[in-house]
Amino acid sequence: ILNVEQSPQSLHVQEGDSTNFTCSFPSSNFYALHWYRWETAKSPEALFVMTLNGDEKKKGRISATLNTKEGYSYLYIKGSQPEDSATYLCAFPFTGNQFYFGTGTSLTVIP
Amino acid sequence: EPEVTQTPSHQVTQMGQEVILRCVPISNHLYFYWYRQILGQKVEFLVSFYNNEISEKSEIFDDQFSVERPDGSNFTLKIRSTKLEDSAMYFCASRGWRNTEAFFGQGTRLTVV
């Protein structure tokens, strides 16, 4: 079983604050790193699929960076809004097929 | 927009009974997965399926579990003799080529009593 770790486990921020969290994964046998947003009572929704070292992807106020050599990815949310409240999961495909999910970071944005 | 659908949304079953959880993946996808999340715990991988056979499975996926893609559209997870600890949300997912994102169904909440 591979270790995909996320930190912090939970985060409470004020509306308008920017925030970031980390996903750490094994740097060997890298295929891709996925980020998903999982809102309560819904299914996980893909945010980004990152494949190249140094990749930076952006979707609105959310962006992510990737460092495959040291085995981490950061997810940034600029100007957090209450609708950003969710659990953010990273997933690491091992052997290109099976996904290992991190434990998730639970974000609560306080209005 | 194409989506993964799961039925039923909630299933209550007695311990020892067999359950079948159903999923309809996105039609041109190639890889299929089952995951589960026990309340308050992290998402756990169960099994992946490619080219009409299991490609990988976790330690959780023991002889009580099986998967099938009987008709090229449905993807089912069968638990032969349910235990209390099988109570969880079960999610099906599918994806296209290797580095594309996975699309998840809404989940089936399985309650074993």
Side-chain angles (χ1 to χ4, degrees):
Chain A
I1 296 176
L2 294 183
N3 230 10
V4 180
E5 294 180 351
Q6 290 188 246
S7 62
Q9 281 194 356
S10 68
L11 200 51
H12 289 72
V13 300
Q14 290 291 135
E15 183 175 350
D17 286 352
S18 295
T19 187
N20 65 85
F21 22 94
T22 309
C23 170
S24 302
F25 53 86
S27 53
S28 57
N29 296 316
F30 180 82
Y31 286 91
L33 192 283
H34 295 222
W35 280 101
Y36 293 85
R37 175 169 59 201
W38 196 344
E39 294 178 66
T40 304
K42 295 186 178 179
S43 53
E45 173 199 358
L47 288 172
F48 306 114
V49 176
M50 309 180 78
T51 55
L52 298 174
N53 185 41
D55 240 358
E56 183 168 341
K57 298 225 172 175
K58 191 172 178 183
K59 186 185 274 192
R61 294 177 292 96
I62 305 178
S63 61
T65 60
L66 179 67
N67 183 324
T68 59
K69 291 182 180 172
E70 294 180 40
Y72 64 84
S73 175
Y74 293 137
L75 190 82
Y76 300 91
I77 303 179
K78 187 177 174 183
S80 304
Q81 299 297 307
E83 59 265 30
D84 296 329
S85 296
T87 295
Y88 290 83
L89 289 171
C90 66
F92 179 76
F94 183 63
T95 71
N97 194 5
Q98 184 184 147
F99 273 29
Y100 286 95
F101 281 91
T103 47
T105 293
S106 173
L107 174 68
T108 304
V109 181
I110 303 160
Chain B
E1 188 177 314
E3 60 179 15
V4 177
T5 55
Q6 287 185 245
T7 55
S9 55
H10 190 191
Q11 171 110 31
V12 181
T13 190
Q14 287 203 320
M15 194 168 58
Q17 294 296 304
E18 175 183 285
V19 293
I20 297 176
L21 309 183
R22 291 186 164 80
C23 170
V24 180
I26 293 172
S27 64
N28 59 351
H29 279 187
L30 302 172
Y31 299 90
F32 311 103
Y33 306 85
W34 282 100
Y35 293 86
R36 75 176 186 190
Q37 188 180 35
I38 295 170
L39 189 64
Q41 298 184 24
K42 73 175 187 180
V43 176
E44 298 175 298
F45 168 78
L46 293 177
V47 66
S48 60
F49 195 85
Y50 170 70
N51 203 26
N52 288 320
E53 59 183 20
I54 290 174
S55 46
E56 286 167 285
K57 59 184 181 179
S58 71
E59 292 173 354
I60 302 166
F61 195 89
D62 61 20
D63 292 344
Q64 293 301 311
F65 290 86
S66 62
V67 287
E68 267 193 327
R69 197 150 185 258
D71 54 12
S73 61
N74 292 286
F75 180 49
T76 61
L77 175 71
K78 184 194 289 186
I79 310 175
R80 285 189 186 83
S81 178
T82 49
K83 304 180 202 123
L84 294 175
E85 54 265 36
D86 293 328
S87 296
M89 281 289 286
Y90 286 80
F91 288 93
C92 169
S94 70
R95 66 183 176 127
W97 289 106
R98 181 173 279 189
N99 284 335
T100 55
E101 70 262 35
F103 290 80
F104 286 80
Q106 294 291 328
T108 292
R109 178 171 296 287
L110 177 66
T111 304
V112 183
V113 298

